[in-house]
């Protein structure tokens, strides 16, 4: 990353704090291509539940096509990793193939999302690369 001025550093720090507090802000900042449509009030309810839960299990029921899987399986998972809020993630799905695909999406974001790499650094593993997302 290029040299940041003091003002740019402070602005970046403020954005990162906001993104850590708000999954919605994280989605808009780091995944603008995935979240290109405006969020609805139902999305806001989902973000509120996620942002304010105390890490207990939660159930989110919403219509198909709303983006629940992208929010949870991609953005939330990546956020947990980049902010080091968890030591590991388990992708659960209706099939092992779908769980592996979800893990591969997280891996792809960590390795190839330029904004994430510029801000949080390189996530390429030095060991066990073949098992990275499985």
């Amino acid at each position: 990353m290029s040299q940041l001025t003091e003002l740019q550093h402070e602005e970046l720090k403020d954005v990162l704090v906001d993104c850590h507090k708000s999954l919605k802000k994280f989605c808009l900042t780091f995944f603008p291509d995935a979240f290109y449509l405006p969020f609805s009030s139902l999305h806001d309810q989902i973000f509120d539940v996620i942002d304010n839960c105390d890490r207990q299990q939660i159930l989110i029921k919403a219509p198909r096509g709303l983006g629940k899987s992208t929010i949870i399986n991609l953005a939330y998972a990546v956020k947990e990793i980049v902010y080091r809020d968890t030591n590991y993630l388990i992708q659960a799905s209706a099939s092992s193939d779908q769980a592996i695909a979800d893990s591969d999406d997280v891996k792809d974001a960590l390795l190839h999302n330029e904004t994430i790499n510029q801000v949080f650094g390189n996530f390429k593993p030095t060991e066990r690369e073949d098992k990275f997302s499985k």
Side-chain angles (χ1 to χ4, degrees):
M1 186 168 16
S2 63
Q3 290 284 35
L4 295 175
T5 66
E6 186 65 31
L7 179 59
Q8 290 171 323
H9 180 73
E10 286 302 314
E11 289 172 351
L12 176 60
K13 188 170 133 183
D14 290 343
V15 168
L16 290 175
V17 168
D18 290 345
C19 286
H20 193 221
K21 291 178 183 177
S22 167
L23 181 57
K24 180 179 180 179
K25 177 79 172 180
F26 185 84
C27 290
L28 294 170
T29 302
F30 292 99
F31 294 101
D33 293 342
F35 302 104
Y36 54 90
L37 295 174
F39 289 121
S40 69
S41 61
L42 185 52
H43 288 105
D44 289 339
Q45 291 175 38
I46 292 170
F47 287 127
D48 186 56
V49 167
I50 295 168
D51 290 339
N52 296 303
C53 74
D54 58 359
R55 295 204 168 263
Q56 294 181 2
Q57 293 179 355
I58 59 174
L59 173 66
I60 297 173
K61 291 173 58 174
R64 290 183 56 83
L66 190 72
K68 299 176 304 291
S69 296
T70 306
I71 291 169
I72 300 298
N73 295 337
L74 178 64
Y76 177 76
V78 169
K79 180 178 173 274
E80 288 290 295
I81 292 169
V82 299
Y83 281 101
R84 302 177 195 270
D85 288 335
T86 189
N87 292 324
Y88 62 90
L89 289 169
I90 298 172
Q91 292 282 15
S93 190
S95 70
S96 61
D97 288 342
Q98 185 59 51
I100 290 170
D102 291 342
S103 294
D104 282 338
D105 290 344
V106 171
K107 175 183 176 179
D108 185 60
L110 292 171
L111 294 179
H112 304 294
N113 182 308
E114 290 181 30
T115 307
I116 288 173
N117 291 161
Q118 287 176 343
V119 173
F120 294 101
N122 181 1
F123 282 89
K124 185 173 183 172
T126 56
E127 298 177 16
R128 297 180 51 187
E129 185 174 346
D130 61 323
K131 303 286 185 197
F132 183 15
S133 69
K134 303 291 186 268

